Amino acid sequence: MSTIPRWTRDPRPGTAEYTAPLPEGLPAGPAAVRAAHAKVLAALSAAPGDPALRVDVTDRGRDRVLRLRYRTDVLDREAAARIAGYHLAALAAPVRHSLLSEAELRYQLEELAGPCRELPDRRVHELFEERAARHPDAVAVVSAAGQRTYGELNARANRIGRALLAHGLRPEGVVAVLLEQNLDWPAAVLGILKAGGVCLPIGARLPVGQVRTMLDRADYSLLLGPDSVAAAYAEEHADTDLGVPVAAHGPATLHFTSGSGSAGEPRGATGEHAGFANHVLAKIDDLGLGAGDVVAQTAPPYRAGSLWQLLSPLLAGGRTLLVGPETVRDVPRFVDTIERGRVCVVQVRPSYLESMLAELERHPRELPQLRRVAVTGEPLRTDLVRRWFRAQPSVPLVNSCGLPETSGDTHHEILHDVPAGHWVPLGRPIANVRVYVVDERLVPVPLGAPGEIVFSGVCVGRGYVNDPEGTRAAFTEDPYRPGERLYRGGDRGRRLPDGKLELLGRRDEPATRDPGRPHGPRGTALASLSTRPGLY
């Protein structure tokens, strides 16, 4: 238990009163009021007797009213009215589990969701094919070794797709990609999707034992490495589009998160085509990608972020710049690459952003083409945001986080200025994503109260490959939208007055911190996708 969660955008020292009429016949004796108040404090995860909020029943003329006396640095009048409603609900139905009104429940379930957007009835690879048909001679992908046009990339992907089918790939079969970030990497990914397979991007840099574990768990059908890609080209298959039917809710991608399964073994999350397309299109919208824009593909292939970096510019008519690990490790070289490559959007971790800032402070430059820097992988501190805007005041930061189980990032907080507090909160969900903060029964908790963060909508994947027990534990039906899946990632958080989310830790950690005081997320699932799954 802790103090009452703060719910005010204008904290001011002092106290105030809020009164609500008591319905006739409502039991409101001292014992009933004390019991109702204790139930409300428990729902808010506040300690009994919290001095920030006092409640009693008093007479106002001929009427009896419920009176709340509250600290104005903790609650505003709107919050006091809502909490008065909780008390009235507890008095009217002492055994009722939820204290939320219908209006608040609807607000949490519907109005705090991401915007609704109709998805095209086409898959990511089909949207790419449309782009390739419109401007086949435009440059699609660039690396240190050369470049490929849209037409060339599409033709090579078609040949790889046909080679996979010729070698026995069945619908929804898993194909592992063990390639460096070279010009064959996007062709391999697109070829797998075109052939109706499931793409498992691994790359060529992970330890052999880790790769073997992933492959064993994935029950893969085929491998695409340098030799097999060369052989696929040598087979001289037709380079026209395959036209293989692929269902929107069929599996598209498989990403492993290290140390997440039983005994700390990797666990593979399967994402569907609709969720994959929704994520890529949200990146295009929220990052403002358009024709000619350049996105740096920096994430290693096994990271969930690698595929949106690879493909989102290609669906927008832009260009993907492949940036290998040697360049990423050399920060001055990386910044030079961003500048020379005329990169418009890049995604980095906050710790790497600090290194970039140190380089820019030593050697200031304009980076005139850079329009957005997406930050992911770790919680983002506001002091780092402040430093960034001192160095690059015209370049917004996008605090983004998500999970492989939810098809990638679920939140984008676009920053044009330094927010209040020590840590940047999570923004509203992206399009077609719903996020609830719930108790152990999956019932939404009162606004501002801590609870478990769960996900619903098109983003939620199928579950864990060949892990029915893990899938049953984390994936269930959305109780508010029958037939839709809900994912329980284990992260805890609370709503802020502006509707954004503050992260508080893990559901298996003791809830000992004060949600009304500034603090940063602990180093758990929230801190890094390199350690286990979780937001960030």
Side-chain angles (χ1 to χ4, degrees):
M1 291 292 187
S2 187
T3 62
I4 285 184
R6 283 186 172 88
W7 192 272
T8 175
R9 299 192 193 193
D10 185 22
R12 297 180 180 182
T15 60
E17 286 189 2
Y18 180 87
T19 59
L22 283 173
E24 188 174 347
L26 190 70
V33 173
R34 284 196 300 272
H37 188 51
K39 184 171 184 176
V40 171
L41 290 177
L44 294 171
S45 292
D50 191 320
L53 178 66
R54 303 291 191 186
V55 178
D56 61 15
V57 172
T58 186
D59 294 325
R60 290 286 171 89
R62 295 182 179 181
D63 299 323
R64 302 190 73 202
V65 298
L66 181 77
R67 179 173 61 181
L68 273 68
R69 285 173 287 185
Y70 59 94
R71 281 173 34 194
T72 52
D73 63 328
V74 176
L75 302 173
D76 59 20
R77 186 171 179 80
E78 178 186 347
R82 178 165 45 81
I83 292 173
Y86 300 157
H87 283 83
L88 293 176
L91 287 169
V95 297
R96 175 182 167 186
H97 180 69
S98 175
L99 300 177
L100 273 60
S101 66
E102 289 297 324
E104 182 181 342
L105 182 62
R106 184 171 58 254
Y107 173 72
Q108 292 204 37
L109 296 180
E110 302 294 340
E111 296 181 41
L112 291 177
C116 292
R117 177 184 58 199
E118 185 175 356
L119 291 174
D121 188 21
R122 294 181 298 287
R123 313 307 152 240
V124 165
H125 61 278
E126 293 169 337
L127 295 171
F128 166 75
E129 289 170 353
E130 292 178 359
R131 281 288 181 183
R134 285 203 292 271
H135 42 77
D137 297 327
V139 175
V141 61
V142 178
S143 77
Q147 63 184 35
R148 295 256 166 85
T149 66
Y150 275 79
E152 291 168 342
L153 176 57
N154 193 46
R156 286 175 177 264
N158 289 333
R159 292 167 67 184
I160 289 175
R162 283 193 165 81
L164 292 171
L165 293 174
H167 285 269
L169 178 65
R170 296 182 178 276
E172 302 185 2
V174 175
V175 182
V177 183
L178 281 75
L179 292 171
E180 299 278 2
Q181 288 160 277
N182 57 29
L183 293 173
D184 290 327
W185 148 241
V189 171
L190 288 165
I192 294 166
L193 299 177
K194 285 167 175 277
V198 179
C199 180
L200 168 57
I202 295 177
R205 301 282 178 138
L206 289 177
V208 172
Q210 190 174 348
V211 172
R212 186 175 294 119
T213 300
M214 290 182 179
L215 295 177
D216 289 344
R217 283 180 169 259
D219 191 21
Y220 71 97
S221 300
L222 295 167
L223 290 173
L224 278 177
D227 293 341
S228 53
V229 168
Y233 293 151
E235 291 173 8
E236 297 186 351
H237 294 282
D239 62 5
T240 55
D241 293 335
L242 280 69
V244 174
V246 177
H249 292 289
T253 60
L254 178 59
H255 283 285
F256 277 85
T257 53
S258 61
S260 61
S262 60
E265 296 178 343
R267 175 177 281 170
T270 304
E272 295 182 337
H273 278 276
F276 182 35
N278 189 70
H279 181 219
V280 171
L281 293 173
K283 291 295 185 186
I284 292 172
D285 287 348
D286 293 348
L287 299 177
L289 297 179
D293 288 343
V294 180
V295 175
Q297 202 282 292
T298 57
Y302 58 87
R303 298 278 191 214
S306 63
L307 294 184
W308 83 255
Q309 295 175 6
L310 185 71
L311 298 179
S312 62
L314 304 183
L315 269 59
R319 183 181 305 180
T320 301
L321 175 65
L322 302 175
V323 183
E326 293 84 2
T327 299
V328 173
R329 284 194 291 267
D330 185 340
V331 177
R333 180 180 170 189
F334 178 79
V335 175
D336 288 342
T337 300
I338 297 302
E339 184 179 23
R340 288 198 310 271
R342 302 176 66 82
V343 168
C344 303
V345 173
V346 65
Q347 184 178 51
V348 296
R349 300 169 79 91
S351 53
Y352 196 89
L353 185 65
E354 285 197 83
S355 299
M356 284 181 62
L357 277 168
E359 169 64 17
L360 290 170
E361 288 163 354
R362 284 193 298 267
H363 305 287
R365 62 191 85 181
E366 290 297 324
L367 302 178
Q369 303 302 319
L370 192 61
R371 291 206 315 271
R372 293 280 195 279
V373 174
V375 187
T376 193
E378 301 157 356
L380 178 59
R381 305 188 318 272
T382 52
D383 67 304
L384 184 57
V385 176
R386 187 175 293 106
R387 283 182 59 198
W388 173 259
F389 284 127
R390 279 201 300 263
Q392 299 289 326
S394 63
V395 181
L397 294 175
V398 182
N399 190 32
S400 52
C401 73
L403 306 146
E405 292 89 341
T406 58
S407 305
D409 291 332
T410 50
H411 294 77
H412 291 159
E413 172 72 342
I414 302 174
L415 302 171
H416 298 274
D417 203 348
V418 184
H422 296 272
W423 301 89
V424 176
L426 305 187
R428 291 293 183 92
I430 65 171
N432 302 323
V433 171
R434 292 182 293 277
V435 181
Y436 315 143
V437 182
V438 300
D439 62 17
E440 69 281 355
R441 301 188 191 182
L442 298 180
V443 175
V445 299
L447 289 168
E452 182 184 352
I453 300 171
V454 298
F455 302 85
S456 176
V458 70
C459 66
V460 179
R462 287 191 164 192
Y464 299 118
V465 64
N466 295 321
D467 185 1
E469 182 179 347
T471 298
R472 283 193 298 272
F475 294 82
T476 187
E477 185 178 62
D478 184 340
Y480 307 100
R481 291 181 174 268
E484 295 195 19
R485 285 190 293 268
L486 182 140
Y487 173 66
R488 305 181 66 175
D491 289 312
R492 296 178 69 253
R494 75 177 192 100
R495 292 286 180 188
L496 300 174
D498 58 6
K500 297 171 185 176
L501 275 174
E502 178 184 30
L503 296 173
L504 300 177
R506 296 287 294 165
R507 71 181 176 206
D508 50 3
E509 291 179 338
T512 57
R513 293 183 302 161
D514 176 3
R517 299 181 62 187
H519 55 263
R522 300 187 186 191
T524 61
L526 319 176
S528 173
L529 283 174
S530 66
T531 55
R532 53 147 286 127
L535 288 171
Y536 291 111

